[in-house]
């Protein structure tokens, strides 16, 4: 009957389908866990150890691998595909398994002085083209660099402005101005970096500016003078210049043969002091010393606390000579508290010492 | 440029690019491995190191000279090498009477040792001994881990994560279907870990998905786990911290229910319901004569039921 044949047809079709799928289906008790982004499959099914030991290991492993791979491939083939240059490509999802990073995530850099200003004013970055049309040469020239459009150094004629001294060398003036601009730029770049690291930058007045105030100049002079091996003691002085007040670490000694009365006075005083049995103490000096000691201790304690919390708590039986020894106190210290979550990587860079645990 | 320890004055753009590639980034580079030998190595170990190097090429460096260190005691020289070569995975092979044919797999976080697991080679068949054609260098392998022990035992869990990290290669958005050739199969059974490497052949089956046939190519190892040095929990957690920028942005006002139906929320402004456009009901319109419209209403009610 027609009904029978329809049923038969359907049954036949189903059987065919099943046969087709037969070659790629694998029967497993537990489904595998897949992470397609990593092309990973994890099979948790139990294998009876006794069964395993009986068989030939390699063949058993081959069969197991074949089954698992079949399942993985089935899973991969379910992904959306597209054609890219004569090859069929399956798009993979993002990897799911969490894996540790190589390095800690980058810290956000504080904005530079210009960036802060631009944000404040709402100035957007405008991308400039690399090439500019040069009328004189009638071709496209770079905006900057080799064979650029407005190359000031190539000019062979500079008009002397009305206000300038006729004997002044305008070319040298240009060169000097350029050097100053470069130095200023470099200085600002370093200042930005120092601000980002909260480190020390060279003080004001030490790099030449166009207009310098009197005390900037004075400071620059004093710094330059004391930057010698003998900390400025033997530097020539101008006729009316006063001798510098604290000439560094070098000690000052009285001349051997000079003021006789002074020497006599000093010796008598010394004898008096030795006689008196009173403790000779300079009170201000003592107080200052004590304050300094206290400050130093405080700083050391804070740093130790910060570094201890940050240090690695690993079971490292290390010999303590770690290269990252700077911030890595954690080796010897019994791991302090759950840690503020700062890596031992905080130890990298001695510059970070000044602000432990607080970024 | 501020590198790991100090400020570097960079003059050339090429060096700047080099330093930037080594600096910490949002999405990181592929992990490279450094493969090195210890004070004394056997033939097995050197051959094994060479084979794993060929599996891991080009993201690996193989050091020729012997390094007289003991990673489990003092890892400073490992950390130094990793800093210099910018590698975050290492494989250290050694051989002595107490621990014959020893391989130490390890990874580093921020140039300090995170995990180290020592595996002893019990049986080893090298690449050259199995004479079949090999997969081309640099193919992304498929990884299969079998055995419930990988889920139950803590050490084996870490080992699984370490081996995954070691062998997975670069993360790609798409993969060529014909190029899925290499399979690395790890089985944890009977106290041992079996590593086999196969080449998979995609055979025709009735439907779109091919049938797999496997052919053993690569090195085959029978490992036994020896010592481990695993990172403490909080260091491990720290190493997994992802920067916020990488988290996928949640789309607001979209939700999914248990069946997978996607629901959206639309926020409307307040509507003046008196001015709402409804169906025309001529009968309700105001007439000049002011006729009672109840008769028409009932007539209209009949029609309303059918529509919608």
């Amino acid at each position: 009957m027609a009904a029978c044949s329809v049923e038969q047809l359907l049954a036949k079709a189903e059987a065919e389908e099943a046969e087709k799928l037969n070659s790629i289906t694998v029967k497993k008790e537990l489904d595998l866990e897949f992470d397609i982004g990593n092309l990973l499959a994890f099979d948790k099914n139990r294998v009876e150890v006794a069964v395993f030991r009986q068989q030939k290991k390699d063949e058993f492993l081959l069969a197991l691998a074949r089954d698992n791979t079949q399942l993985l491939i089935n899973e991969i083939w379910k992904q959306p595909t597209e054609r890219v240059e004569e090859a069929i490509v399956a798009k993979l999802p993002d990897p799911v398994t969490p894996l540790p990073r190589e390095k800690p995530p980058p810290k956000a850099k504080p904005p530079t002085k210009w960036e802060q200003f631009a944000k404040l004013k709402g100035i957007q970055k405008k991308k400039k083209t690399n090439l500019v049309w040069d009328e004189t040469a009638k071709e496209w020239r770079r905006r900057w660099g080799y064979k650029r459009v407005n190359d000031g150094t190539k000019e062979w004629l500079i008009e002397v402005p009305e206000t300038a001294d006729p004997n002044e060398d305008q070319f040298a003036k240009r060169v000097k101005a350029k050097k100053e601009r470069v130095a200023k730029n470099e200085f600002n770049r370093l200042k930005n970096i120092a601000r980002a690291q909260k480190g020390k930058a060279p003080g004001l007045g030490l790099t030449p500016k166009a207009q310098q105030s009197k005390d900037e100049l004075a400071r620059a002079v004093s710094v330059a003078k004391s930057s010698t091996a003998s900390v400025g003691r033997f530097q020539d002085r101008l006729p009316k210049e006063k001798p510098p007040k604290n000439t560094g670490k070098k000690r000052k000694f009285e001349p051997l043969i000079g003021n006789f009365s002074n020497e006599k006075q000093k010796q008598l005083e010394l004898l008096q002091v030795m006689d008196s049995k009173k403790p000779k103490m300079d009170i201000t000096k003592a107080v200052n010393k004590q304050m300094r000691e206290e400050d130093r201790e405080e700083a050391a304690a804070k740093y130790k606390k910060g570094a201890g919390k940050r240090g690695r708590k690993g079971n490292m039986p290390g010999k303590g000579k770690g290269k990252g020894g700077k911030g890595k106190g954690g080796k010897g210290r019994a791991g302090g508290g759950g840690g503020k979550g700062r890596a031992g990587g905080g130890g990298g860079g001695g510059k970070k010492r000044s602000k432990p645990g607080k970024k | 440029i501020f590198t790991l320890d100090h400020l570097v004055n960079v003059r050339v753009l090429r060096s700047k690019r080099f330093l930037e590639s080594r600096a910490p980034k949002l999405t990181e580079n592929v992990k490279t491995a450094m493969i090195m030998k210890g004070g004394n190595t056997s033939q097995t170990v050197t051959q094994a190191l060479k084979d794993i190097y060929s599996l891991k090429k080009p993201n690996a460096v193989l050091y020729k000279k012997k390094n007289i260190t003991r990673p489990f005691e003092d890892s400073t020289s490992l950390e130094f090498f990793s800093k210099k070569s910018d590698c975050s995975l290492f494989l250290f092979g050694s051989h002595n009477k107490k621990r014959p044919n020893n391989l130490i797999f390890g990874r580093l976080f921020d140039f300090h040792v995170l995990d180290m697991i020592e595996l002893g080679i019990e049986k080893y068949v090298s690449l050259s001994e199995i004479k079949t054609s090999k997969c081309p260098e640099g193919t992304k392998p498929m990884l299969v881990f079998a055995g419930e022990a990988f889920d139950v035992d803590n050490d084996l869990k870490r080992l699984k994560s370490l081996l995954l990290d070691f062998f997975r290669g670069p993360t790609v958005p798409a993969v060529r279907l014909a190029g899925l050739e290499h399979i690395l199969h790890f089985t944890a059974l009977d106290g041992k870990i079996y590593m086999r490497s196969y080449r998979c052949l995609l055979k025709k089956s009735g439907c779109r998905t091919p049938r797999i046939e496997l052919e053993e190519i690569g090195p085959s190892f029978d490992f036994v786990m020896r010592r481990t040095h695993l990172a403490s929990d909080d260091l491990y957690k720290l190493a997994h911290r992802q920067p916020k920028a990488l988290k996928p942005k949640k789309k607001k006002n979209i939700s999914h229910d248990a069946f997978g139906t996607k629901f959206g929320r639309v926020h409307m402004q307040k509507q003046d319901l008196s001015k709402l456009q409804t169906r025309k009901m001529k009968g309700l319109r105001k007439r000049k004569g002011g006729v009672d419209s109840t008769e028409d209403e009932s007539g209209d009610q009949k029609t309303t039921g059918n529509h919608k």
Side-chain angles (χ1 to χ4, degrees), chain B residues 123-177:
Chain B
K123 192 174 126 225
Y124 166 57
V125 183
S126 83
L127 262 178
S128 40
E129 282 173 40
I130 306 175
K131 301 202 192 306
T132 46
S133 61
K134 316 287 179 197
C135 291
E137 183 183 296
T139 37
K140 190 167 160 92
M142 292 184 274
L143 300 156
V144 181
F145 289 86
E148 55 179 8
F150 273 126
D151 207 26
V152 165
D153 189 7
N154 257 339
D155 284 349
L156 283 177
K157 258 199 227 176
R158 281 290 176 92
L159 179 65
K160 175 169 168 260
S161 154
L162 183 66
L163 290 171
L164 172 63
D165 220 355
F166 204 91
F167 288 110
R168 72 165 170 162
T171 309
V172 284
V175 73
R176 198 171 130 250
L177 290 179

Side-chain angles (χ1 to χ4, degrees), chain B residues 98-292:
Chain B
K98 190 173 177 190
R99 286 176 242 271
N101 300 327
N102 208 18
L103 286 182
I104 305 180
F105 283 89
R107 61 185 163 193
L108 304 120
F109 173 70
D110 198 23
F111 308 116
H112 295 289
V113 168
L114 186 65
D115 287 335
M116 278 196 290
I117 298 185
E118 193 174 46
L119 299 169
I121 305 175
E122 304 231 307
K123 192 174 126 225
Y124 166 57
V125 183
S126 83
L127 262 178
S128 40
E129 282 173 40
I130 306 175
K131 301 202 192 306
T132 46
S133 61
K134 316 287 179 197
C135 291
E137 183 183 296
T139 37
K140 190 167 160 92
M142 292 184 274
L143 300 156
V144 181
F145 289 86
E148 55 179 8
F150 273 126
D151 207 26
V152 165
D153 189 7
N154 257 339
D155 284 349
L156 283 177
K157 258 199 227 176
R158 281 290 176 92
L159 179 65
K160 175 169 168 260
S161 154
L162 183 66
L163 290 171
L164 172 63
D165 220 355
F166 204 91
F167 288 110
R168 72 165 170 162
T171 309
V172 284
V175 73
R176 198 171 130 250
L177 290 179
L180 291 166
E181 296 180 299
H182 195 132
I183 282 260
L184 286 170
H185 193 268
F186 299 91
T187 323
L189 265 186
D190 202 11
K192 291 200 197 156
I193 300 145
Y194 299 93
M195 172 177 153
R196 298 284 181 274
S197 162
Y198 303 104
R199 185 205 178 109
C200 80
L201 307 157
L202 308 163
K203 295 270 163 74
K204 270 197 188 179
S205 74
C207 43
R208 192 168 153 254
T209 319
R211 182 178 162 78
I212 300 288
E213 294 293 325
L214 292 183
E215 186 187 7
E216 183 157 6
I217 44 157
S220 89
F221 293 95
D222 289 1
F223 288 126
V224 67
M225 189 133 99
R226 291 182 183 152
R227 294 179 290 181
T228 60
H229 169 85
L230 304 177
S232 59
D233 279 335
D234 52 296
L235 181 61
Y236 198 65
K237 247 196 241 175
L238 183 68
H240 282 263
R241 263 214 200 157
Q242 301 290 347
K244 259 196 183 171
L246 277 183
K247 279 196 225 156
K249 277 215 144 179
K250 263 187 131 185
K251 270 196 154 179
K252 281 182 151 186
N253 296 323
I254 294 180
S255 60
H256 298 262
D257 75 349
F259 296 105
T261 324
K262 196 170 177 183
F263 287 101
R265 262 195 142 155
V266 179
H267 297 265
M268 297 287 297
Q269 287 157 339
K270 195 156 185 184
Q271 291 176 308
D272 186 4
L273 290 169
S274 62
K275 298 228 167 72
L276 202 63
Q277 170 89 325
T278 49
R279 288 165 57 237
K280 287 185 203 173
M281 295 202 186
K282 274 193 186 168
L284 294 176
R285 278 216 213 121
K286 288 224 169 119
R287 292 224 181 94
K288 289 179 193 169
V291 178
D292 192 359

Side-chain angles (χ1 to χ4, degrees), chain A residues 330-350:
Chain A
K331 258 192 193 153
R333 295 166 224 275
K340 290 188 183 168
R342 289 302 139 79

Side-chain angles (χ1 to χ4, degrees), chain A residues 211-232:
Chain A
Q211 309 299 341
Q212 296 201 318
S213 63
K214 187 174 167 195
D215 33 30
E216 280 177 359
L217 282 169
R219 206 183 315 172
V221 165
S222 64
V223 169
K225 263 220 165 135
S226 50
S227 331
T228 56
S230 39
V231 210

Side-chain angles (χ1 to χ4, degrees), chain A residues 56-246:
Chain A
K56 275 195 173 177
K57 298 214 172 100
D58 282 335
E59 286 168 10
F60 174 78
L61 289 172
L62 187 80
L64 180 65
R66 198 222 78 81
D67 288 341
N68 287 336
T69 318
Q70 184 70 66
L71 288 167
L72 178 60
I73 290 278
N74 291 352
E75 207 48 45
I76 295 175
W77 249 253
K78 288 184 193 162
Q79 299 300 317
T81 59
E82 57 180 22
R83 204 180 181 83
V84 172
E85 286 175 23
E86 316 162 350
I88 305 176
V89 151
K91 284 175 113 177
L92 298 177
D94 289 332
V96 164
T97 336
L99 286 169
R101 282 175 65 99
E102 246 188 337
K103 299 166 186 142
K107 297 190 181 81
K109 284 189 294 188
T112 60
K113 208 68 193 289
W114 169 252
E115 280 171 5
Q116 288 170 2
F117 180 75
K119 202 169 153 197
L120 188 67
K121 290 277 186 175
I123 301 172
Q124 311 283 9
K125 254 195 192 176
K126 286 212 178 78
K127 189 136 172 115
K128 296 189 186 136
T129 55
N130 278 345
L131 300 175
V132 184
W133 179 252
D134 189 7
E135 271 305 319
T136 46
K138 292 277 191 283
E139 62 173 7
W140 289 96
R141 284 273 170 92
R142 276 169 242 232
R143 191 188 295 274
W144 52 270
Y146 183 61
K147 285 194 190 156
R148 56 181 172 272
V149 172
N150 293 330
D151 197 350
T153 54
K154 293 280 193 287
E155 265 187 51
W156 51 270
L157 178 83
I158 304 178
E159 283 180 19
V160 178
E162 298 271 335
T163 49
D165 172 19
N167 292 331
E168 194 183 10
D169 186 357
Q170 295 295 330
F171 294 99
K173 192 169 149 192
R174 274 206 180 172
V175 168
K176 231 175 64 163
K178 170 83 180 175
K179 284 201 179 138
E180 281 176 14
R181 274 181 276 137
V182 168
K184 170 178 176 276
N185 195 17
E186 185 64 23
F187 179 62
N188 283 333
R189 184 180 79 92
L190 290 174
K191 259 207 325 201
N192 274 328
I193 292 175
R195 195 183 308 115
Q197 308 301 332
K198 291 193 171 68
K200 289 195 191 149
L204 288 167
L206 293 179
T207 35
K209 279 198 301 209
Q211 309 299 341
Q212 296 201 318
S213 63
K214 187 174 167 195
D215 33 30
E216 280 177 359
L217 282 169
R219 206 183 315 172
V221 165
S222 64
V223 169
K225 263 220 165 135
S226 50
S227 331
T228 56
S230 39
V231 210
R233 236 178 100 208
F234 299 112
Q235 294 298 96
D236 298 328
R237 260 179 272 136
L238 292 173
K240 285 196 184 167
E241 204 183 346
K242 289 179 233 167
K245 276 178 258 180
N246 29 354

